Amino acid sequence: MKRLLKAILSGALCTLLLAGCAAAEPRASGTPVSSQETEDPFLVMASFHPMLLLTRMVTDGVEGVEVQCMAEANTGCLHDYQLLPGDLRNLQEADLFIINGLGMESFIQQLLDQLPDLAVTDTSAGFAAELDAEASSEHAGHTHQVNGHVWLSVPYAMQQVQAICDALCAGDPVHAQAYQDNTQRALERMQALHEDLEAQLAPLADTAVVSFHDAFDWYHMTYGLNIVQTLSLHEEEPSTRQITELVERIQAEDVAALLVEPYTQEPPAVASMVERETGCPIIVLDPLTRGEEDPEAYFTAMKENAQTLVEALS
Ligand SMILES: [Zn+2]
Ligand SMILES: [Zn+2]
């Protein structure tokens, strides 16, 4: 936040200096200058796909702002992401860098060491303490670690959209009204989406499932889906013992499905093995880390995920 403020203040100072120059220097006749045409667009970089979608909800149809994604479209979650030289070059040009926070961008300190003037908006900063407190208290007889995939919990995603709006209004005040109008519309739709998801998923509260990406834990924490165990495949390969224990648990607890993220060719080998051993079917949920760049994709994918769960588990 300090950095953003610093950037805003230096921006304001530049504007004052420029205004001073313009006033002192009589404008040559016959060369009307439109600031709209000559100014570079306000360049916003989103760290990865979910942040791109949430940012585009705010900037949709607004002139003079450009939104790009730092990570390539096929990157997925940023777990273990290594910054590329091209990322640094792109971010150097950016007026604002939108991140998820909560450790998703594990490179952020290294980045700020190299680009100390980069204005960063951490979209989860406003509720990180709340998540910390939740993680240390019990949820239905067990505890959870802080889970960074917050965009899959619509109420938190709404707070992220609001944080993006606030940052854009501060950094690009000329378009503040347009950003606020978009945000209000987006938040109303997200609230309706959240209520739909609650209603659709409530009947599944007693259906046991197993997940292979901790992103989906939010379907448990926000919407009550009974995820009895998560074995994340983006970290180390699970050990034989972990897999054996999981298979035993699936058989003992009458697990109805295995949740995996979309795969390009074959389902992850571990998930396939567990499916063969247990007869428990794989179902694919979209963690929104890849796909269409249109902000509508957020709503479409969240609705499709709920539909998939309802169809597979009802
Ligand atoms: Zn992830
Ligand atoms: Zn729980």
Side-chain angles (χ1 to χ4, degrees), residues 138-144 220-221 227:
E138 276 205 354
H139 173 240
H142 53 260
T143 53
H144 294 280
H220 163 71
M221 294 184 282
I227 299 180

Side-chain angles (χ1 to χ4, degrees), residues 130-174:
E130 188 186 324
L131 290 186
D132 265 338
E134 268 175 24
S136 57
S137 64
E138 276 205 354
H139 173 240
H142 53 260
T143 53
H144 294 280
Q145 291 175 331
V146 173
N147 184 313
H149 308 79
V150 277
W151 62 91
L152 290 172
S153 175
V154 180
Y156 287 127
M158 289 169 72
Q159 295 194 49
Q160 292 186 290
V161 168
Q162 186 62 59
I164 294 167
C165 176
D166 293 345
L168 276 162
C169 290
D172 182 27
V174 179

Side-chain angles (χ1 to χ4, degrees), residues 139-254:
H139 173 240
H142 53 260
T143 53
H144 294 280
Q145 291 175 331
V146 173
N147 184 313
H149 308 79
V150 277
W151 62 91
L152 290 172
S153 175
V154 180
Y156 287 127
M158 289 169 72
Q159 295 194 49
Q160 292 186 290
V161 168
Q162 186 62 59
I164 294 167
C165 176
D166 293 345
L168 276 162
C169 290
D172 182 27
V174 179
H175 300 110
Q177 191 60 52
Y179 294 139
Q180 281 160 7
D181 291 348
N182 277 346
T183 299
Q184 195 186 338
R185 264 196 303 275
L187 293 182
E188 279 166 15
R189 292 187 64 203
M190 290 171 95
Q191 180 60 35
L193 172 69
H194 172 59
E195 287 164 18
D196 284 349
L197 294 181
E198 279 187 318
Q200 282 179 286
L201 299 178
L204 305 179
D206 294 324
T207 311
V209 296
V210 156
S211 161
F212 287 99
H213 186 175
D214 54 349
F216 303 135
D217 288 6
W218 282 108
Y219 280 97
H220 163 71
M221 294 184 282
T222 302
Y223 299 107
L225 188 67
N226 185 17
I227 299 180
V228 295
Q229 192 172 337
T230 294
L231 190 64
S232 275
L233 299 180
H234 59 72
E235 289 155 11
E236 303 158 25
E237 274 287 298
S239 67
T240 312
R241 188 170 152 217
Q242 279 177 304
I243 297 170
T244 310
E245 282 174 1
L246 183 65
V247 166
E248 285 169 5
R249 187 161 190 189
I250 288 170
Q251 287 161 340
E253 298 191 29
D254 195 20

Side-chain angles (χ1 to χ4, degrees), residues 77-79 104 149 151 213-215 234 261 289:
C77 270
L78 293 177
H79 310 295
M104 189 56 70
H149 308 79
W151 62 91
H213 186 175
D214 54 349
H234 59 72
E261 58 186 308
T289 52

